[in-house]
């Protein structure tokens, strides 16, 4: 059984991720070419180092201190998934809340954990009176299929900072 709950600042340490497996083997990605999204073979393994986890901890702490939220999914007391949404409005009219992370441990993908975490993120955005979540989404075809299944579409307003930070990501939105 999986337990879902908001995380507190004191819980967000590198130790929280001791049994979390970020590893994702990517074969095909979506790439924007001539105004259309196409599938291109671009194999790589996406994984996090100790330094990446240290940076993640700082980011998640900043999310909470800025009025955002971090939800965790736990199995047998171990973190197996998490989602973070910033509290600061985003977009020219403040219409978005930024979904800054959504990750499920490798062994639990495809079991509905991400769907529940995404729903919690949408509920938070709605409670903040946002029109939509904004997502700078990983380009792997599996990640894109997940977001499409969640009802995401190409963002009406693209955030340049996100594009600059992750030029291969697809900029999406989903009604809150």
């Amino acid at each position: 059984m999986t337990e879902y709950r908001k995380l507190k600042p004191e819980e967000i340490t590198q130790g929280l991720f001791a049994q979390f497996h970020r590893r994702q083997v990517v074969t095909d990605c979506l790439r924007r070419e001539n105004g259309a999204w196409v599938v291109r073979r671009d194999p790589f393994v996406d994984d996090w180092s100790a330094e990446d986890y240290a940076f993640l901890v700082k980011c998640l702490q900043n999310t909470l201190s800025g009025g955002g939220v971090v939800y965790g999914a736990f199995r047998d007391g171990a973190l197996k998934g998490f989602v973070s949404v910033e509290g600061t409005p985003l977009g020219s009219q403040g219409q978005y809340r930024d979904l800054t992370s959504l990750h499920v441990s490798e062994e639990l993908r495809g079991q509905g954990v991400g769907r529940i975490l995404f729903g919690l993120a949408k509920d938070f955005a709605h409670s903040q009176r946002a029109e939509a979540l904004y997502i700078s989404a990983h380009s792997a075809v599996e990640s894109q299929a997940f977001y499409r299944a969640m009802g995401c579409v190409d963002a009406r307003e693209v955030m340049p900072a996100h594009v600059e930070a992750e030029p291969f990501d697809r900029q999406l939105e989903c009604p809150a």
Side-chain angles (χ1 to χ4, degrees):
M1 184 166 160
T2 306
E3 173 196 0
Y4 298 88
R5 62 179 174 77
K6 285 183 183 179
L7 297 181
K8 299 174 185 140
E10 60 272 14
E11 292 179 279
I12 301 175
T13 66
Q14 279 191 255
L16 179 67
F17 300 94
Q19 296 180 54
F20 183 86
H21 306 287
R22 166 63 183 99
R23 190 171 193 275
Q24 181 178 1
V25 178
V26 177
T27 303
D28 296 324
C29 294
L30 286 182
R31 296 290 184 247
R32 188 100 169 145
E33 295 180 7
N34 300 320
W37 290 99
V38 297
V39 176
R40 291 285 176 241
R41 189 163 179 76
D42 187 11
F44 63 95
V45 176
D46 204 351
D47 208 348
W48 289 337
S49 67
E51 293 79 21
D52 294 327
Y53 280 105
F55 181 71
L56 173 65
V57 165
K58 288 179 184 174
C59 291
L60 296 177
Q61 290 284 358
N62 286 338
T63 296
L64 293 182
S65 67
V69 69
V70 180
Y71 289 99
F74 293 85
R75 281 248 175 112
D76 299 321
L79 182 76
K80 294 297 179 178
F82 63 96
V83 65
S84 60
V85 182
E86 302 304 312
T88 305
L90 186 68
S92 60
Q93 299 174 344
Q95 71 270 30
Y96 297 123
R97 289 302 177 280
D98 199 359
L99 186 148
T100 46
S101 59
L102 173 57
H103 299 282
V104 175
S105 194
E106 183 176 30
E107 72 277 11
L108 291 187
R109 292 185 195 135
Q111 296 183 30
V113 173
R115 180 178 294 273
I116 292 171
L117 289 169
F118 191 82
L120 291 168
K122 283 179 61 171
D123 290 347
F124 175 77
H126 182 76
S127 77
Q128 300 296 301
R129 293 179 170 63
E131 292 175 23
L133 281 173
Y134 185 91
I135 306 111
S136 183
H138 195 287
S139 63
V141 293
E142 298 85 359
S143 298
Q144 291 297 313
F146 169 81
Y147 286 116
R148 192 169 40 256
M150 296 298 99
C152 297
V153 298
D154 287 321
R156 291 170 295 177
E157 183 180 345
V158 173
M159 302 297 119
H162 282 296
V163 175
E164 187 177 309
E166 292 290 347
F168 291 118
D169 279 9
R170 188 172 185 176
Q171 306 305 305
L172 302 172
E173 67 179 65
C174 187

